[in-house]
Amino acid sequence: MEMHHHLRDQLKKLKMPGLYQALDMRLAESRTNNLGHLEFLSLLIQDELVNREDNMLSKRLKAAGFGVQKSFEDFDFRFNEEALPSSILRDLATCHFISQKQNLVIGGPPGIGKTHAVKAIGHEAARRGHQVLFRSTQKLLAEMQSDSSQRAERIMRRAVAVDLLILDDFAFRKLDQREAEMLYVLAEERLGRASTVLTSNRPPEDWYAIFPDTVVGGAILDRLVSSAIKIITTTGKSYRREAMRVENCPLGEANR
Ligand code: ADP
Ligand code: MG
């Protein structure tokens, strides 16, 4: 027992909580199954690694700022198959486009699952070890103009540097000169270096109109959109409306 306490303190010093938590269970397992020394040690090291990876994933998910988290596990691929083709979404979920530093644009009517899809992609990216930042475009622009210049600088630096920046609800409203300049910095700094994802309820041809002048607007959109993977749809059913219909109508399921 004393040995056990001693080991616990040592493992604490070494910051190996996963190993410590698994110790009793592995000891019992080792006795029951007559594990060799090496096998026993290898299992414990594996326990520590799994624990560390879990903790790092939680940190990355928290840092991404998804708010309500969404993943592909709770995404119905058949619901808007035509508007958001499952083959493309599954391909994006491999995060190959992130390694390729490609951008992604998803445009289409409200409620069709754009935000859900890009959060799910962000989740996959975090699982693969990528640093992700998710924000509504408005919120990020506001944060970058925070009264605390330290905070503003920090978020700007992160927005420039993360492996995957997701700007949700792009082109939601008109931007002023300062906001356009900040977007330009983001677009320019990230181009070819890291992936940026945009979602919007408006079609890309309407995006020029949100900028205070066409030169800056053109430069920004050229960098963010021109070579991006694009899923643009004008159709697509609202999942929200569909969910409401099913709830309100006892025969709702039959209507689907
Ligand atoms: P958009 O961003 O296109 O306006 P959202 O992604 O916010 O739409 O979707 C609206 C709601 O419907 C969210 O709660 C989302 O989780 C849900 N939803 C949308 N599409 C699907 C889908 N295919 N499977 C499961 N839930 C969905
Ligand atoms: Mg949305």
Side-chain angles (χ1 to χ4, degrees):
M1 208 57 212
E2 204 169 307
M3 177 83 169
H4 199 294
H5 284 312
H6 186 52
L7 194 56
R8 181 189 59 192
D9 294 342
Q10 286 177 321
L11 287 171
K12 207 169 177 182
K13 264 191 209 149
L14 285 169
K15 299 201 167 46
M16 294 178 128
L19 199 155
Y20 182 70
Q21 279 157 27
L23 188 56
D24 287 338
M25 186 259 292
R26 292 299 184 196
L27 276 172
E29 189 187 347
S30 155
R31 280 187 209 111
T32 324
N33 300 339
N34 257 321
L35 296 188
H37 297 306
L38 210 55
E39 207 174 347
F40 171 70
L41 180 64
S42 157
L43 282 171
L44 278 178
I45 300 287
Q46 187 61 28
D47 292 330
E48 176 61 31
L49 279 176
V50 167
N51 185 265
R52 283 189 193 187
E53 272 158 28
D54 283 355
N55 288 344
M56 266 147 41
L57 174 60
S58 307
K59 266 190 203 156
R60 283 194 298 275
L61 288 174
K62 192 162 172 244
F66 288 120
V68 180
Q69 283 189 29
K70 301 274 177 175
S71 71
F72 281 124
E73 271 115 59
D74 50 20
F75 190 77
D76 178 0
F77 284 91
R78 282 167 309 173
F79 184 75
N80 265 316
E81 170 69 45
E82 234 171 276
L84 306 173
S86 59
S87 58
I88 302 182
L89 291 183
R90 287 183 200 279
D91 204 35
L92 291 166
T94 67
C95 298
H96 182 65
F97 80 102
I98 300 173
S99 330
Q100 298 292 306
K101 328 284 185 199
Q102 261 187 306
N103 291 351
L104 165 68
V105 170
I106 304 186
I112 64 165
K114 300 182 300 295
T115 300
H116 190 137
V118 296
K119 279 185 177 178
I121 291 168
H123 197 107
E124 292 300 323
R127 277 190 198 165
R128 284 167 170 74
H130 294 297
Q131 302 293 337
V132 181
L133 182 62
F134 174 95
R135 283 291 188 282
S136 83
T137 311
Q138 289 315 311
K139 183 151 184 239
L140 183 68
L141 288 172
E143 283 176 353
M144 294 194 310
Q145 300 180 82
S146 160
D147 291 337
S148 146
S149 64
Q150 237 180 358
R151 258 190 71 197
E153 237 170 76
R154 203 179 327 128
I155 191 79
M156 183 72 182
R157 239 182 292 132
R158 264 195 76 211
V160 165
V162 285
D163 304 313
L164 182 68
L165 173 66
I166 304 173
L167 297 175
D168 200 29
D169 279 323
F170 190 79
F172 187 69
R173 64 156 172 79
K174 284 202 156 68
L175 304 180
D176 61 30
Q177 192 67 35
R178 173 118 190 264
E179 290 169 324
E181 277 162 20
M182 288 189 301
L183 262 186
Y184 177 81
V185 173
L186 279 184
E188 167 66 11
E189 291 286 329
R190 295 182 60 78
L191 183 68
R193 292 200 189 105
S195 296
T196 307
V197 172
L198 309 180
T199 77
S200 182
N201 291 341
R202 297 179 201 237
E205 57 269 24
D206 289 1
W207 295 1
Y208 289 90
I210 68 158
F211 296 102
D213 73 82
T214 50
V215 179
V216 189
I220 292 169
L221 294 182
D222 191 41
R223 282 160 177 73
L224 288 179
V225 182
S226 295
S227 57
I229 300 164
K230 297 178 192 75
I231 307 176
I232 310 295
T233 172
T234 49
T235 58
K237 315 169 268 179
S238 166
Y239 193 93
R240 288 193 193 99
R241 221 173 297 145
E242 196 78 0
M244 245 160 35
R245 204 158 61 106
V246 173
E247 260 167 43
N248 293 337
C249 165
L251 297 172
E253 277 301 318
N255 284 339
R256 292 238 217 184

